[in-house]
Amino acid sequence: MAFLRKLFATVAAPWRAFRAKSPLASFIIGRVITMIAILFMLGWALFALMALAPGDIVDQMMTQQLLNQTSTSQSMNAASTTGDNNFSQEQMAKLREELGLDKPFTLQYFSWLNRVLIHHDLGISLISRTSVGFLIKSRIINSLILNIISLIFITIFSFLLGVYFSSKAGTKIDVAATFFALFFHAFPGILLLILFQLFASATSLFPVKGYPDFPFSSAPAQFAFSYAHHIFLPLLASFLGGIGSIMRMIRSTMLDQMGMPYITALRARGISERRVYLNHAFRNTLNPYITGSANLLASLFSGSLLLEIIFAYPGIGRLMYEAVMQQDVNLVLANSMFMSVLVLAGMVISDILLAIVDPRIRYK
């Protein structure tokens, strides 16, 4: 016990000195270490959940194989049927051994960690027998483009409309904007996507699919216009579902700031209303937005699952859905880790941005 105390004191002393000298850097390092620990526990929990789920991927593969087989005879004797079942059980046991599914989930997890950290290999998809890294790379770009475009539009219009309607508080246009923001925020996203797809099918103004049928390399310029045409309705649904809450937050924060004593003092000094709004009150609205935006990109990725399924968009959300339905452990774990890294990295980045935007915040 004394040895452990001495070891802890030896390690803690340089860390305290470094923390006193560079509080922000020590905070970032601490958060990164915490993020790694959380990812480790999350991966273990995911393996445990997949192990607790009824059946496994081998059961699904054998069931699918049996469904695809055509019967060569209308009647089968009992002896041959029993033999087939025994042979199937042997096949399933052998396949589980080849895939490593016969081991406890903890050993499977550490084997996966060893492969990822040492060999930088995410493994092979148990269904398609394709590299998991290749599958994720082929889908992640599509999801990043869609969600980053959505994030940019939501952020810009939320701030513009939030600041504008805060200056029109209590007017008819402000009441109407608040009503529509609440309406689209509460409106079920899946129903909105289905309605948009029905609209596209009935009018033929927009494609019912969210992605062009030809690759970017074949005709880049044509692909860009076709892509914009295909994602307009999915992007509009994502925009309407996300702008309401952020716009209301910006509006309410601006109204709170406009009632502060420092705003009254600025007005008493004869500073123009535009400068009061944009140079002073607006800057203080960034703090709650940065805090709330830590999970915004990750929530867009998780929310795009329904969008990608309904509009047949080849993104990471649809890949995750297919992997979960087929119990593809390697693919599920890689996708889940990606989402977790987005959430945790977003929190660290938001803390750093808060320290940059607000000089009153210091990490000691």
Side-chain angles (χ1 to χ4, degrees), residues 48 62 77 149 224 294 344 347 364:
M62 299 303 289
N77 55 54
I149 292 175
L344 297 174
M347 291 181 178
K364 297 180 180 179

Side-chain angles (χ1 to χ4, degrees), residues 129-327:
R129 312 304 296 171
T130 308
S131 170
V132 170
F134 173 78
L135 290 174
I136 292 178
K137 287 178 183 178
S138 63
R139 299 289 189 95
I140 191 62
I141 299 298
N142 296 334
S143 291
L144 278 174
I145 292 174
L146 178 66
N147 288 287
I148 288 177
I149 292 175
S150 178
L151 179 63
I152 291 173
F153 276 102
I154 289 174
T155 301
I156 293 175
F157 281 95
S158 295
F159 273 99
L160 290 177
L161 295 177
V163 172
Y164 175 76
F165 288 122
S166 66
S167 66
K168 305 291 183 180
T171 62
K172 293 181 179 180
I173 190 173
D174 175 56
V175 174
T178 303
F179 170 78
F180 283 108
L182 287 170
F183 176 80
F184 284 111
H185 180 63
F187 199 85
I190 185 172
L191 181 57
L192 185 62
L193 289 168
I194 293 174
L195 289 176
F196 276 167
Q197 191 175 59
L198 291 175
F199 171 78
S201 177
T203 61
S204 299
L205 295 176
F206 297 95
V208 294
K209 293 178 60 179
Y211 199 81
D213 295 326
F214 58 95
F216 174 80
S217 56
S218 62
Q222 185 180 355
F223 180 89
F225 285 104
S226 179
Y227 181 79
H229 188 213
H230 278 75
I231 68 166
F232 179 80
L233 288 182
L235 198 63
L236 181 60
S238 177
F239 174 79
L240 292 176
I243 192 174
S245 59
I246 301 177
M247 188 196 76
R248 289 172 53 243
M249 180 190 70
I250 299 299
R251 175 185 173 277
S252 61
T253 306
M254 283 292 295
L255 289 176
D256 289 340
Q257 292 297 320
M258 295 307 292
M260 292 289 181
Y262 79 92
I263 295 295
T264 305
L266 290 171
R267 285 170 169 167
R269 290 168 55 188
I271 296 178
S272 65
E273 197 70 11
R274 180 174 179 177
R275 287 187 60 191
V276 169
Y277 260 86
L278 300 181
N279 293 5
H280 299 278
F282 175 73
R283 183 174 181 178
N284 289 328
T285 64
L286 295 175
N287 288 18
Y289 173 75
I290 292 173
T291 304
S293 65
N295 297 329
L296 185 58
L297 184 59
S299 64
L300 284 174
F301 269 93
S302 59
S304 65
L305 168 64
L306 293 175
L307 183 153
E308 293 175 6
I309 293 174
I310 293 175
F311 279 90
Y313 188 86
I316 197 74
R318 188 178 173 193
L319 181 66
M320 180 68 170
Y321 170 76
E322 295 169 353
V324 171
M325 294 300 295
Q326 297 170 344
Q327 295 186 340

